[in-house]
Amino acid sequence: MTAPDFAYRRGAALVTGATGGIGAAVARLLAARGSSVVLAYRSSKAAAEALAAELGGHAISTVRADLADPAACAALVEAAGPLHTLVHAAGPHVPMVHLSRVTPDRFREQLVQDVSGFFNVVSAALPALRGTQGSIVAVTTAATRRHPVRDGLSSGPKGAVEALVRGIAAEEGRYGVRANCVGPGMLTDGMAERLIAGGDLDERALEVARANIPLRTFGTAEDIAEAVCFLASDRARFITGQKLDVDGGYTA
């Protein structure tokens, strides 16, 4: 029998967007594999507290933070204490709309929430991650490799996040810090679930989406969590600056 991946790690894993479908699945799997977890959320206090209760002693704390605010990110990381992993799974709901219908103000808002939010929390967390030779895993999207029509408001900013991850990997490797991305394809939960519930994706659109996936099925948040936890673990000790698309073959 081998020890769980994170049982020996000093510090905790900080999961942003921990109350979302993917963030919660990641937090659960990190805890199951021996990690202490700090749950960061923006507005869903009750959901964060319920998840913390579910994780029991593995959940160190729940912290509310607006990632668009650098000061809030600094306070979040300070409250989290020593970190071995940062999982960035935060992101606002993004409606599916043609880029021609996206206003400059709406696009700017998306850049602030997606790109600046990621950079703010990474900037705050890097000193702690250097101290533990830790890891960053950003949850982005498979759509940066194969563009689905009406998804540019998501894939554009997420592409910037992926570029930042490559830069961090290139610059922070000398400190033992790794940085990678996981790109979800169509899922039955998380943002896709909200898009279906909101009518952005009707049954015809879902049939087309399935036809574009070689495995002819959608994934789950647990599929994404498996990839995230692998990249954060020492089993991926020689992997950095990479993106793993978990999409059923959509980007093949």
Side-chain angles (χ1 to χ4, degrees):
M1 296 291 291
T2 58
D5 285 334
F6 305 101
Y8 67 93
R9 289 284 187 89
R10 180 168 64 91
L14 170 59
V15 181
T16 66
T19 58
I22 292 175
V26 169
R28 291 186 183 101
L29 194 55
L30 284 165
R33 294 185 178 171
S35 180
S36 297
V37 184
V38 176
L39 308 173
Y41 67 97
R42 183 177 182 181
S43 58
S44 303
K45 180 179 181 180
E49 291 177 346
L51 180 58
E54 177 186 337
L55 300 184
H58 286 285
I60 294 177
S61 62
T62 63
V63 184
R64 181 185 180 281
D66 180 358
L67 302 187
D69 179 0
C73 290
L76 167 63
V77 171
E78 182 177 1
L83 296 176
H84 63 71
T85 300
L86 168 64
V87 177
H88 182 69
H93 174 73
V94 185
M96 296 200 71
V97 59
H98 290 93
L99 284 169
S100 61
R101 297 179 56 198
V102 177
T103 66
D105 284 345
R106 180 66 182 86
F107 190 72
R108 185 183 304 111
E109 179 185 353
Q110 194 70 34
L111 287 173
V112 169
Q113 294 184 19
D114 265 349
V115 186
S116 293
F118 172 71
F119 186 83
N120 290 342
V121 72
V122 168
S123 178
L126 272 177
L129 293 171
R130 287 176 177 178
T132 60
Q133 294 191 324
S135 174
I136 298 165
V137 184
V139 178
T140 58
T141 175
T144 56
R145 287 189 57 205
R146 180 179 175 183
H147 183 83
V149 173
R150 299 190 301 142
D151 200 34
L153 189 56
S154 172
S155 62
K158 289 294 195 299
V161 170
E162 292 174 5
L164 286 170
V165 166
R166 291 194 298 272
I168 291 163
E171 295 178 2
E172 295 296 318
R174 56 185 170 155
Y175 300 108
V177 175
R178 296 184 300 108
N180 294 287
C181 297
V182 171
M186 278 293 294
L187 308 178
T188 56
D189 38 25
M191 187 172 294
E193 184 179 33
R194 297 197 296 272
L195 290 169
I196 294 168
D200 287 290
L201 293 173
D202 57 20
E203 188 55 42
R204 180 178 176 278
L206 294 174
E207 289 177 5
V208 171
R210 287 190 191 93
N212 283 325
I213 299 171
L215 291 181
R216 297 296 191 270
T217 188
F218 298 152
T220 68
E222 287 71 26
D223 294 322
I224 308 307
E226 285 283 358
V228 169
C229 289
F230 164 70
L231 288 173
S233 76
D234 281 350
R235 289 178 292 138
R237 58 176 290 276
F238 203 51
I239 301 174
T240 192
Q242 305 302 310
K243 181 192 177 194
L244 174 57
D245 284 320
V246 183
D247 61 3
Y250 174 75
T251 54

